[in-house]
Structures are given as C-alpha cells and as structure tokens.
Amino acid sequence: MPGRREDTTVAEKDEKELGQLKKRLQDLANRSYRQNTFTFTEFLGLAEQDVFWQAEPELRSAGYRLFGGRDGADRVVIRFGNPEELGYEEDFPITCIYVCPKNQKFADDLSHRDFLGALMNLGIERSTLGDILVGEKQAYLFCLKNVAGFLCENLNQVKHTNVNCKVTEELRELQMEEPDHVFLQVSSERVDAVIAKTYKLSREESLALFRAGKVFVDGRSCENNSKLLKTGETVNARGYGKFQFLGIRGETRKGKSSVEVAVYR
C-alpha cells in the first residue's frame, strides 16, 4: 500500500529495544525484592546503562550494584539485591579469560576489533561479553561464566593468529591499562570544551557528539554540553575513547584554566 512503511528505522528499533530493557530491569528488581534473592542482568553498554539510571528511582528499593569484573569497566552487569537485607553475599557471574598467541614470533598485532570480530564469529551474543583489554598481541576478556567454557574451547584463532585461552582466576594477573596524563588549557571546565581539547576537535565537532547522544559522564548520557566537570568524573565520547577529569591544576596568565585529564587510548 502506498505510504506504508514495511521496515522500522534503526532509531525506532533501538528505542523499542531500550524500552524492553527498562521492563526487564523492573522485572529483575521486583523479583529480587519479592523473592529475597539476587538477580543479575547480562552485560550492559553505555546506552543501556543510561536506561538504568533513568529508571533508577523506581528500582532503588531493591538495592543494586554495577560491576564489570574490574573497577572502571565500561560494560557492566547490574546485580539487584541488598546483601545486608538478604543476609548473604553472592559474586557476580563474571569470568576473565586470558587470550594469547600460540606462537608469539608469528603472531599478528591484534586490535580490539580483531578480538571482538573473532568472538562474534562464534555466534555468541554481545551481551555475554564485557570489556576486552588489548595488549600488543594478547587480550583479557571479561565474559559471563556460562559462556567461558565455550569460549576457551572454541576461540582458536584471531585474525590469522592461532591463540590459546585460559580462565584467569586472580585478577592481579591482569595488566591494567595505564592512561596518559595530559594537561590542557581550557576556557572553563565545561565538558564540551574539555572534550574538544582532549581529542583536538573543533567546537562544532564537539557539539555534534552531544547532538548524536554519544557523550556519557560516569555512565550516564550527557545532553548538557555546558555541564561543568567535577574532579574524578569519567567521560566517554563514543568513537574517540574515554578520559577521567582530574581537576584544575592552575590558571594561565590569560585567565584560562589548566586542567589535568587521564586519557585512555
């Protein structure tokens, strides 16, 4: 029929999926509260975490904690339930897997995209995977426990490199990513100004990130480009990376603020 749309747009599909996520979060929180037990989500990305924060006033009575297997994780699992009220503790269903070449000498330099592509080719859901921390030819992968055995058995190749996988039980083995500490001169601590300086963007390019919904501060969508950053807040600019705002370190002769940020490459 003329004028009838057979397919939904990407935006409509995303909106529908986020609406379904909100309902699932409410169901998990209610089940935890009613049954006096812990309930868990799968791994949530930044846009999905923002759905949680929008609904948080309705969910807080159940108690909750966000964790991705390490402090500062981008992708996290939400656990509903208050340990003090329940009278016991329950670990998050998260496992860390170390992935390394079988032969370092002939291994490719592997990127985050290479590892993620190899994992997706195994047919698993993205929601079962957390952060992937990539070194030069190796990676540490956080995943749900129920897929860890499958991944260790079936992830045999990344790009053209044959790899071994093993579960890492002690996170002290994890080689944490060290950020670059950078000093910037900005007119103010406005988030758009700090993003522009950090990633060498024009004002218009920085504002475009906000219009596209690609800026998150401490896991929450930030639509207010004039928001003043507070010391310790973490900013994610999708497509560019993330940094932590470490505060004002002084003032220049021209009246600009000298600020420090820790940039994760």
Side-chain angles (χ1 to χ4, degrees), residues 201-224:
L201 304 177
S202 67
R203 173 178 171 78
E204 183 57 33
E205 289 172 329
S206 176
L207 290 176
L209 292 174
F210 290 88
R211 288 194 289 266
K214 293 184 176 181
V215 178
F216 297 82
V217 178
D218 281 351
R220 307 187 190 196
S221 178
C222 180
E223 298 179 355
N224 179 15

Side-chain angles (χ1 to χ4, degrees), residues 13-58:
K13 181 181 178 182
D14 289 346
E15 185 176 350
K16 181 179 179 181
E17 290 178 350
L18 294 178
Q20 292 172 340
L21 172 61
K22 181 178 179 181
K23 184 178 184 303
R24 173 160 170 73
L25 292 173
Q26 292 169 332
D27 290 343
L28 287 170
N30 290 337
R31 179 152 58 90
S32 172
Y33 186 78
R34 290 195 310 268
Q35 299 180 5
N36 292 317
T37 188
F38 290 108
T39 58
F40 298 87
T41 68
E42 296 182 313
F43 279 102
L44 305 179
L46 290 170
E48 296 163 322
Q49 291 170 49
D50 189 57
V51 172
F52 166 77
W53 288 117
Q54 291 179 35
E56 190 270 346
E58 308 167 33

Side-chain angles (χ1 to χ4, degrees), residues 108-234:
D108 297 310
D109 288 337
L110 301 172
S111 68
H112 183 280
R113 178 174 292 185
D114 293 328
F115 283 101
L116 182 58
L119 290 162
M120 292 294 94
N121 285 338
L122 296 178
I124 64 172
E125 296 291 333
R126 183 68 176 97
S127 59
T128 64
L129 303 175
D131 287 358
I132 304 171
L133 305 182
V134 179
E136 186 176 339
K137 299 180 179 182
Q138 60 194 12
Y140 287 89
L141 159 69
F142 290 91
C143 66
L144 295 181
K145 284 186 177 180
N146 60 8
V147 299
F150 174 83
L151 294 180
C152 287
E153 184 176 344
N154 292 280
L155 183 60
N156 302 314
Q157 184 171 325
V158 178
K159 203 173 180 180
H160 305 296
T161 300
N162 293 324
V163 298
N164 288 319
C165 299
K166 71 172 183 178
V167 170
T168 298
E169 295 183 356
E170 298 184 16
L171 293 186
R172 67 169 176 261
E173 295 181 22
L174 188 63
Q175 299 173 354
M176 299 299 291
E177 178 184 12
E178 293 294 333
D180 294 332
H181 287 253
V182 180
F183 292 87
L184 308 169
Q185 293 182 10
V186 294
S187 54
S188 73
E189 309 94 271
R190 284 174 48 140
V191 61
D192 58 353
V194 179
I195 286 176
K197 282 290 186 179
T198 300
Y199 298 113
K200 298 181 173 56
L201 304 177
S202 67
R203 173 178 171 78
E204 183 57 33
E205 289 172 329
S206 176
L207 290 176
L209 292 174
F210 290 88
R211 288 194 289 266
K214 293 184 176 181
V215 178
F216 297 82
V217 178
D218 281 351
R220 307 187 190 196
S221 178
C222 180
E223 298 179 355
N224 179 15
N225 63 285
S226 62
K227 169 185 165 58
L228 297 180
L229 289 174
K230 299 176 183 177
T231 300
E233 288 185 321
T234 297

